[in-house]
C-alpha cells in the first residue's frame, strides 16, 4: 500500500487522558486549584494581542503583591521552577565571578551546580541536612570571598527546612553582594517579603503553595540586579533594531534565559523573543489571583495551622518528625520511617488503596524519611484528616502498633484552636 498524507499510517489508538482521582500530599506537585485548571482551558491569543499583553501586565501587578515587592521587573519565566533559577544565575553570573552558595539540601546543591555551569567560582557554606545554616558562617564566607552574588534556598523541600532569610539579606547589604533566593516551595504559603529581605532576584514555581501545575516560574528582580543584567544586554541579531548597541558587559550565556531580552519582552517594547506560553500564563495569573483574593496573611496562616495539624497528628501516631522543628517549613513535614517498615510499600499502599500520594526522599535521606505536604489547594482540614486516617490504617496493616484514632484527634484539636 502506498501511504499518502491523507491516509495516516495505521497505529495504536490510545484512550483520552483520564487520570485517577489522586490526592497529591507529597512535597509537590499538588493538585491544582480547579479555578486554575479552568483558566487554563481558555482559548489562545496571539502573544502581542492587546488583550494578551493586558493579561501580562495584570500578571506582573499580581505577582508584585505575592512577592511583597515594588520591583518593576516581576514577571514569568516559561519553564518549571529551575528555569527561573537558571535565568537568574546565568543572567547575573559570568565566568570567574565569585559566588557564595548556602547548601543544606538538594536544592542548595542545585544552586551550586548551576552557578558552576555558569563558570562562577563557587564557595559553598554547607549545613547538615535537617538543619539551617548559621548566619555567622555565611558572613565569614562573604567577608572572605567578597562574592558578586550570594545564592540561597528559602524552603528546601528535600529536608523540609526554611533558612531564615532576613539575616542573610542584611549580610548581603553589609558586604555589597547581590542576593538570589529560591522561594519555589514557599511562595504563597510562607511569607516571602522580597523588599524587606533586600533580595535582588527571587524565583518560584506554581506546583507547591501556589496550587498550579509546574511549567511557569514567577520571578522578581531588583533595580540593582536589573542594572547588572542591562550591562550585559546583547539583543539577538534577527530581532534587534538599529538602536540596539551591544552593552559593554559579557553576553549572557543563554538565549532562552537571557533576562535582558525577557525584560524587553515584558516591557512596552514587547521585543519578539520567544512565544509566551499562553496557557501557562493564564494558569499563573489565576494562581496569583487566588492568593490576592484570599489575602496573603490569611493564606500564610492557613498553611501554618494546617501544617501544624498534620505534624501533631503524625506525632500523636507515635512517629518522629525529621529535622530542626524550630526551622521547619510550614507546608511540608518529614517523618522518619520507623525501623522495620518498608517505606516504599507504605507509599504504594497509600496510593493503591487510598489514592493518596506521599513523598519519599533522595540523596542522603533516601529510604530514611517520608515527606508530606499541605500546600496550596491541598492545604485543607479534610486532606489532613483523610491522609492521617489512611496512613494509620496502612501502618497498622504493615504490623506497626499505633494508638487508634489519636492522630485524627490531635489534628482536629489543632484545627479547633484556630
Ligand atoms: C520543588 C522545588 C523546586 C522544583 O523545581 P522544578 O524545576 O519545578 O522541578 C525547586 N526548588 C525548590 C526549593 C523546590 O522545593
Amino acid at each position: 500500500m502506498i501511504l499518502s498524507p491523507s491516509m495516516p499510517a495505521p497505529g495504536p489508538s490510545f484512550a483520552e487522558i483520564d487520570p485517577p482521582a489522586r490526592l497529591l500530599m507529597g512535597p509537590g506537585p499538588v493538585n491544582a486549584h480547579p479555578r486554575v485548571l479552568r483558566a487554563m482551558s481558555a482559548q489562545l491569543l496571539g502573544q502581542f494581542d492587546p488583550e494578551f499583553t493586558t493579561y501580562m501586565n495584570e500578571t506582573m501587578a499580581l505577582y508584585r503583591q505575592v512577592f511583597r515587592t515594588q520591583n518593576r521587573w516581576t514577571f514569568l519565566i516559561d519553564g518549571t521552577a529551575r528555569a527561573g533559577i537558571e535565568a537568574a544565575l546565568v543572567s547575573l553570573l559570568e565566568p570567574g565571578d565569585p559566588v557564595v552558595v548556602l547548601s543544606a539540601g538538594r536544592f542548595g546543591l542545585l544552586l551550586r551546580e548551576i552557578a558552576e555551569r555558569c563558570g562562577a567560582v563557587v564557595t559553598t557554606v554547607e549545613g547538615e541536612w535537617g538543619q539551617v545554616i548559621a548566619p555567622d558562617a555565611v558572613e565569614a564566607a562573604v567577608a572572605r570571598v567578597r562574592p558578586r552574588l550570594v545564592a540561597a534556598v528559602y524552603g528546601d523541600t528535600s529536608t523540609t527546612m526554611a533558612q531564615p532569610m532576613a539575616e542573610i539579606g542584611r549580610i548581603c547589604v553589609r558586604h555589597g553582594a547581590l542576593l538570589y533566593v529560591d522561594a519555589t516551595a514557599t511562595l504563597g504559603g510562607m511569607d516571602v517579603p522580597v523588599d524587606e529581605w533586600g533580595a535582588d532576584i527571587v524565583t518560584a514555581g506554581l506546583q507547591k503553595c501556589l496550587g498550579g501545575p509546574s511549567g511557569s516560574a514567577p520571578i522578581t528582580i531588583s533595580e540593582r540586579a536589573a542594572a547588572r543584567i542591562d550591562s550585559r544586554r546583547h539583543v539577538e541579531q534577527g530581532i534587534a533594531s538599529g538602536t540596539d548597541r551591544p552593552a559593554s558587559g559579557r553576553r549572557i550565556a543563554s538565549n532562552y534565559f537571557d533576562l535582558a531580552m525577557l525584560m524587553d519582552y515584558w516591557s512596552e517594547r514587547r521585543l519578539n523573543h520567544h512565544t509566551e506560553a499562553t496557557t501557562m500564563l493564564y494558569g499563573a495569573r489565576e494562581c496569583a489571583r487566588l492568593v490576592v483574593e484570599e489575602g496573603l496573611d490569611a493564606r500564610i496562616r492557613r498553611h501554618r495551622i494546617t501544617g501544624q495539624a498534620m505534624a501533631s497528628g503524625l506525632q500523636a501516631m507515635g512517629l518522629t518528625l525529621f529535622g530542626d522543628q524550630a526551622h521547619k517549613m510550614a507546608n511540608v513535614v518529614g517523618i522518619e520511617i520507623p525501623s522495620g517498615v518498608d517505606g516504599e510499600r507504605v507509599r504504594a499502599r497509600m496510593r493503591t488503596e487510598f489514592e493518596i500520594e506521599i513523598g519519599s526522599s533522595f540523596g542522603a535521606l533516601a529510604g530514611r524519611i517520608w515527606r508530606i505536604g499541605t500546600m496550596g489547594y491541598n492545604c485543607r482540614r479534610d486532606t489532613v484528616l483523610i491522609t492521617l486516617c489512611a496512613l494509620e490504617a496502612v501502618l497498622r496493616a504493615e504490623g506497626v502498633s499505633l494508638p487508634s484514632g489519636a492522630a485524627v484527634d490531635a489534628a482536629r484539636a489543632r484545627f479547633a484552636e484556630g
Side-chain angles (χ1 to χ4, degrees):
M1 185 171 74
I2 296 164
L3 292 175
S4 76
S6 60
M7 237 195 294
S13 76
F14 298 105
E16 190 179 346
I17 290 282
D18 183 22
R22 292 258 157 70
L23 178 60
L24 304 181
M25 297 300 284
V30 301
N31 297 84
H33 194 290
R35 263 175 53 182
V36 175
L37 297 178
R38 281 202 293 277
M40 294 183 73
S41 65
Q43 187 51 274
L44 305 186
L45 284 170
Q47 59 169 337
F48 301 110
D49 188 310
E51 302 297 336
F52 188 72
T53 55
T54 300
Y55 290 148
M56 290 173 73
N57 292 341
E58 290 170 354
T59 302
M60 295 175 90
L62 286 162
Y63 276 96
R64 283 186 200 109
Q65 296 182 63
V66 179
F67 279 117
R68 290 202 208 272
T69 184
Q70 306 287 326
N71 286 342
R72 172 182 181 205
W73 299 115
T74 302
F75 54 98
L76 305 174
I77 306 294
D78 290 334
T80 68
R82 78 178 56 205
I85 303 173
E86 293 235 30
L89 297 187
V90 77
S91 297
L92 290 176
L93 297 177
E94 58 184 272
D97 279 346
V99 176
V100 167
V101 173
L102 280 67
S103 173
R106 176 203 170 171
F107 291 106
L109 289 173
L110 178 67
L111 295 185
R112 183 178 79 185
E113 197 219 86
I114 295 175
E116 283 171 358
R117 284 177 187 254
C118 296
V121 179
V122 182
T123 300
T124 309
V125 185
E126 275 179 54
E128 205 182 311
W129 288 34
Q131 308 290 322
V132 294
I133 298 169
D136 287 354
V138 177
E139 181 139 36
V142 170
R144 185 163 42 84
V145 171
R146 308 198 133 277
R148 177 184 292 284
L149 177 78
V150 173
V153 180
Y154 180 33
D156 196 318
T157 42
S158 69
T159 66
T160 74
M161 294 298 112
Q163 176 71 40
M165 210 49 78
E167 185 55 29
I168 306 301
R170 284 191 286 272
I171 291 167
C172 291
V173 170
R174 277 201 289 280
H175 295 269
L178 295 165
L179 173 61
Y180 164 77
V181 178
D182 175 1
T184 302
T186 41
L187 190 70
M190 291 178 71
D191 204 11
V192 180
V194 171
D195 292 357
E196 203 180 298
W197 286 346
D200 291 285
I201 301 195
V202 182
T203 64
L206 303 186
Q207 75 268 31
K208 311 274 171 87
C209 298
L210 290 168
S214 64
S216 178
I219 186 169
T220 186
I221 304 168
S222 72
E223 284 305 320
R224 201 159 63 127
R228 160 81 183 146
I229 293 161
D230 263 338
S231 75
R232 305 182 64 191
R233 176 185 305 276
H234 289 73
V235 177
E236 179 186 324
Q237 199 181 358
I239 57 176
S241 66
T243 54
D244 280 316
R245 303 259 175 280
S248 57
R250 186 195 267 259
R251 185 168 70 175
I252 292 167
S254 164
N255 174 296
Y256 193 68
F257 293 132
D258 181 320
L259 285 176
M261 286 200 280
L262 292 174
M263 281 150 58
D264 280 347
Y265 173 45
W266 284 81
S267 72
E268 299 71 38
R269 181 173 177 194
R270 299 291 174 206
L271 179 77
N272 188 4
H273 182 249
H274 68 288
T275 313
E276 180 56 14
T278 318
T279 303
M280 284 314 304
L281 182 129
Y282 293 167
R285 179 178 173 282
E286 193 61 19
C287 287
R289 245 165 54 83
L290 282 158
V291 174
V292 170
E293 205 174 285
E294 179 174 5
L296 204 41
D297 290 331
R299 192 175 176 99
I300 290 163
R301 185 162 175 275
R302 171 164 65 89
H303 278 82
R304 177 162 42 80
I305 293 172
T306 310
Q308 285 174 355
M310 179 64 90
S312 343
L314 294 164
Q315 279 183 301
M317 221 185 271
L319 298 171
T320 306
L321 305 187
F322 171 76
D324 170 12
Q325 293 305 297
H327 293 105
K328 188 183 94 52
M329 292 166 68
N331 47 292
V332 55
V333 59
I335 319 128
E336 292 181 12
I337 299 171
S339 66
V341 170
D342 180 339
E344 283 310 295
R345 245 173 73 124
V346 167
R347 291 203 325 121
R349 289 184 83 155
M350 289 288 283
R351 190 181 69 245
T352 54
E353 297 178 27
F354 291 91
E355 296 287 356
I356 297 174
E357 177 181 279
I358 63 168
S360 56
S361 294
F362 22 62
L365 297 175
R368 274 188 54 201
I369 67 168
W370 293 305
R371 292 171 303 147
I372 300 186
T374 40
M375 299 192 252
Y377 180 61
N378 282 359
C379 176
R380 303 194 306 265
R381 183 201 319 246
D382 59 300
T383 57
V384 169
L385 299 181
I386 290 166
T387 303
L388 289 171
C389 284
L391 186 60
E392 181 180 323
V394 168
L395 286 176
R396 189 170 293 115
E398 289 288 311
V400 181
S401 64
L402 299 163
S404 181
V408 165
D409 287 349
R412 290 171 80 189
R414 179 62 193 90
F415 282 117
E417 276 172 35

